[in-house]
Amino acid sequence: MADLDELKRKRDQLTAKIQQAESRQKATAKKAQDRIKVLVGAAVLHQQTQSTEKRAALLALLDGFLTRPAERLAVLGEDGQGSEAFKQLVTPD
């Protein structure tokens, strides 16, 4: 009976190690995906803010994309023309 209990304990330890390894792997993959999203977003933001027309098109895209009130306010501002933070990002120095 002691052998069976020892085997179960080892199994439980191995299962825990597998779960930890899977969690680390998922976290690493998510970090890589998030980095790609940030870089793609920065490229699109740069490209879409080169002219007033492109900036307006970006605001229209964001207006249709953003659904959460807090996110809409953070990006579009109260008037829908861009928050102050958004305007600082898209206004050339």
Side-chain angles (χ1 to χ4, degrees):
M1 197 64 156
D3 290 337
L4 181 58
D5 290 340
E6 180 66 18
L7 288 172
K8 286 182 179 181
R9 185 183 65 74
K10 287 181 180 181
R11 180 199 59 200
D12 293 343
Q13 288 176 340
L14 186 56
T15 299
K17 285 183 179 182
I18 290 170
Q19 289 173 342
Q20 289 173 347
E22 287 173 340
S23 292
R24 281 192 302 272
Q25 191 175 39
K26 286 179 185 177
T28 300
K30 177 153 178 22
K31 197 179 224 183
Q33 290 172 353
D34 289 349
R35 179 164 189 202
I36 290 169
K37 288 177 185 178
V38 167
L39 293 171
V40 169
V44 169
L45 183 64
H46 174 76
Q47 193 269 336
Q48 286 299 112
T49 57
Q50 298 304 305
S51 70
T52 306
E53 295 81 22
K54 287 183 177 182
R55 204 170 302 134
L58 179 59
L59 282 171
L61 172 72
L62 292 167
D63 186 41
F65 179 76
L66 299 171
T67 57
R68 295 181 181 152
E71 291 173 351
R72 291 181 62 78
L73 184 62
V75 177
L76 300 174
E78 294 204 12
D79 62 358
Q81 298 302 308
S83 66
E84 288 305 312
F86 178 83
K87 289 175 183 175
Q88 288 175 355
L89 286 174
V90 301
T91 304
D93 293 333

